[in-house]
Every structure is written in structure tokens, then in C-alpha cells.
Amino acid sequence: MFQTRTRVNTRTELNVYAQFSATTDSTTGSSPKRSKRYKALVSLVIAVLLAGAGSIAPSQSTYAAGEKKPFPQQVSYPGIIKPNHVTQNAMNQSVTQYYDYWKGKYLKNDLSSLSGGYYVKGEITGNPGGFAALGSSEGQGYGMVITVLMAGHDPNAQTIYNGLFKTARAYKSSNNPNLMGWVVADNKNAQGHYSSATDGDLDIAYSLILAHEQWGSDGSINYLQEAKQMITNGIKASNVTSNNRLNLGDWDAKNALNTRPSDWMLSHLRAFYDVTQDPVWIQLIDNLYSVYNDFSNAYSPTTGLISDFVVNNPPKPAPEWYLDEFKETNIYYYNASRVPLRIVMDYAMYGDPRSKAISDKLTGWIKGKTNNTPSKIKNGYKLNGTEVGDYATAVFVSPFISAATADSGNQAWVNAGWDWMKNKKEDYFSDSYNLLNMLYISGNWWKPGSADQPALPNLALNAAAVASSIEGISFEADRAIDGNLQSRWASSEGSDPQWIYVDLGTVKALGSVRLHWEEAYAVKFKIQVSNDGSNWTDAYTETNGSGGVQEIPLNNVSARYVKMFGTERGTPYGYSLYEFEVYPPN
């Protein structure tokens, strides 16, 4: 009687309702006006189907109000691969399940000394100076980035984010109030007591840029203003050295050569440049690449590994027990394990070939070391690749999977790594960093644009739209141009070609098209334009689409009509777009 898919989502529910309605009409002759008994029966059928499908979640999250980039964004980065043995929808579900677990275990708002203050509960290394440490600025940074990226899935994300920011500001550094002290403790006297740690502040400042783009800055917190203040008067003033390196905190010297490679968050630094237009950030990026390459050429030419701390010029590994933190400060250990994610994101989001070169070197070495088995990665290596660790933990494994996304030859490795990491649950440090890697690998860590640039208008919003076919009721063409990422156009299933076009009303200059694909995406399609709706010209051709959110540049094009013409499906279904957006030139 029913022909439903194994992937149960809002599409299936509507299909069931429509097919059940049609079957009832033809077999019983009932009127279109449904009785309460009939509606109850339909609800029962849907519930049974959903229960039979197990715990499969809807393909699209329920959004809270106000998000401009609600989860899932599922971006496809140029030159970057994703796991291809699972659907995008399944990856999104794995991320939301892991976030819900992480939030329940580590995200807390029980500070008696700071009402409304949130923090990420986790262990610290180092001496908390007489206070009982609950967390750190490092964890605060992780939590703020994670929360803003999960907004849309979590309807309380902005409240939580603002609470995390409240804690970051209350626990300000004793040296520079624009930075955060490195320890969170439930005591008023701990607020303003500690100096800073560079990594936490970099993530916090970066998260403020994301928050500005997610919610805007006209609410109770001016996220953009706070970001600029922290970037310039905090990080630049205290952490960027005269040698174009990053020191370890605002307690450290401005001419220091000692630096922590896990602080080299290159895509963060590019975002800092975008919002400040200060060339110091580009100079810093260039020098950090030089330091990395000089270090690797001298100490890890076959592995590409880097030590937890780097000192001197020319750069070399710090000695053992550096800063009395732990013995292994001279090798690839629990600080440096985070580096591959920080490096590869500069290639994914900004296309820097230096990032890809480092990522490829690391990936080639670790795949050979483990015989292409991610679960054989160990928690510690000497710079020559000798194992010093004895088990696999996510903070070591997941960044190596992220680095491998920079080359399509690593597909099997990325697939195996995703399967390993998505259910790995350990402790605050590994779990938090694992979730950050999951957000990146699934395409749900989106690139912030220039936060000073006014948003371009979506020319297609609420215009007229026409499609070659529709799957059924509630999947009409105009669902793709209504500005609602919970509704969508879907074509009939199982046939090519299919298309949808939008009528902009008059001929307009075009700058780009943005396609928000549902799970039913196009591998091959064209963007075509026309001035009369009859004669079409190819403006863009895609031959290897992978779904997600696709940004398509249109150069020197003017048209009244814009069409997505799909010629090869990426799934057995049809073609489906949450939104078909058209933008003018910048």
C-alpha cells in the first residue's frame, strides 16, 4: 500500500500522508474533508513507520528564530572530500547526536559566583594556584565555537553562547582585560586572578565573528565590536610578537620566540584580517608557515610532525619538561595533536597551497605508519615517527582524518576515520576536539565572510519559480525561494533531466548562485540564464557535485531567468533544493 524510503524524514511523512489520502479516496470514496478519526489513523500510520525506522532523525533540524546560518550548513569546500559511504543527512545526524552528548556532559551553568555564566567543564594541566579549577579558557573557546555552529539544532544556542561569553569576560586576564584568564573556578576571587593562554583567546575571538554572522550584533551583545576589541587590543597587543610569532599568553614577552603550534589557527587569523583589514594578520600567517616548514625540514622531513612547543630561531623543539607542564613537550604529543585540523582548514576555507602541502605530508606518513588503519594511530610520536603512545584517542585520530580531506586519494581513509570517530566518547579534551573535527569534516563549520560587508540581497527570494516536475504536495517550486530552510522543492523521482528556474521580474546583473541541496542532490547540472524564459545559455557547468551548500560564481552575466538544469542525480531519488538563491555582484 505504501511506498516509502528507508530514510525517514519530513519528505517521507508527507509522502505517506499524501499516498494514504489518495488510497483512502479511491477505495472508500471519502470526502476531502477529513474526520478526526481519519487524521488519528494517519498519525498512527506515520508513528508506526517512524518507530520501524529506529532512531532516524529528520533530515532538517527545527530552527530557533534569528539564525542566519542555522545548522546544518553542510558546506562543500573546494578541493575537500567528505566521507562518501554515508549520506550528508547521516553525517548531520551523527554531529547532532554527538553534540547532544557533549552538551549534556560538559556544558555547565552552575556557578554560584556568576549567575547566568556558562562554562565547559574539563580538566586542566598546570597549577590552579589554590583554587578548584572547573575549566579553562581553552574549553571556553571550544564551547563558544561549537555552540555558535550548532545554532539551529539547539534552540537555546544564543542563550548558552551569551552565557559562555559572560564567563569569559568575568574571568578576565589579570594582565589584559580584553583577554580571558586561563582558569575557571567558582570563586569571585578567581575572576581577574589569572593571566591568559593564547589558544583560548584565539577561539573566543573567532567565535565572536561567527556569532556576529549567525545572530547579528544589534542585540544585547555587539559581537562584532567585541571581536574587534579582543583581536586588536587583546591578541594583537599581547600575543603577536615582534618576530611575527604567537607567544604563549599575555604573561609572555612580546619578543618571545617560544610558541605553541596548536595555537597556529591560520583560518582564524584570516578571519581576523577580514574584520580588521590589519596586514599584521597576513604577515603572521606567512611567518608561521615559514616556521613550520623550517622546523619540518630540519627535524621531521619524512613525517611533517611538529613538537608541542617550538623555541628559538631557526626553530627547534622545546626541551623536555618545558614550562614544567609534562615531559613530552619536545615531541608530537597532546598539544601538537590538534595541529592538523588547524592547518587543513586554511586550505579548505581559503585555498592556501601551503596548507595542502603540509596536510598531504602528514597524511601520507600516518597512512603508511598505520597501514591505512585509523584505529592504529597512537597517542604520541617522536618527530621521526617512532611511537611513544600505546592507544588511539580522538584528539590524535580525528585531526589526521581532517588533514586527509585535502586529497581525493584519501577517500577510504576518511571513510574509515569517520566511522571510528563518530561514536568515540572519552573525556573533555578528546571529546571537545573530536566534535570540532566532526563539524569540519561534515561541512558544518562554515567560513565567515567579511563581517563589515553588508549582506547582498537574495534576488530570488519570493520571486516566481517554475519546475519541470514535483514529487507531490508541499514540494512545489516556490518552496525553494521562500527563504525557509525547512521547506523545499523536490522533483519527481528516478528520471533525468529535471530543472527549476526563477523569474527575477526584470533583467538584473548577477554575481552568484547559492544552492542549498537536500539529500537528493545533483552530481551533474548546469546553471542556465535567459532573458525571455525560452532561449537559455549555459553560465556554469558542474560535473562532480557533492551536495551540501554550493556557491557558484557568475561572472559578467545579466539575465531575468536563472535555471538549475540537473542531468545526473547523486541519489536514486530526484532533485531537491531547500533554497535556490541568486545574488548580485559584490
Side-chain angles (χ1 to χ4, degrees), residues 275-296:
V275 300
T276 65
Q277 294 297 296
D278 188 338
V280 70
W281 302 110
I282 302 301
Q283 295 163 8
L284 177 59
I285 291 167
D286 289 342
N287 190 60
L288 292 177
Y289 272 121
S290 294
V291 173
Y292 199 119
N293 289 328
D294 289 347
F295 180 98
S296 182

Side-chain angles (χ1 to χ4, degrees), residues 181-200:
W182 73 281
V183 172
V184 176
D186 195 4
N187 190 312
K188 283 283 187 183
N189 294 328
Q191 298 173 19
H193 176 78
Y194 297 95
S195 58
S196 75
T198 302
D199 57 345

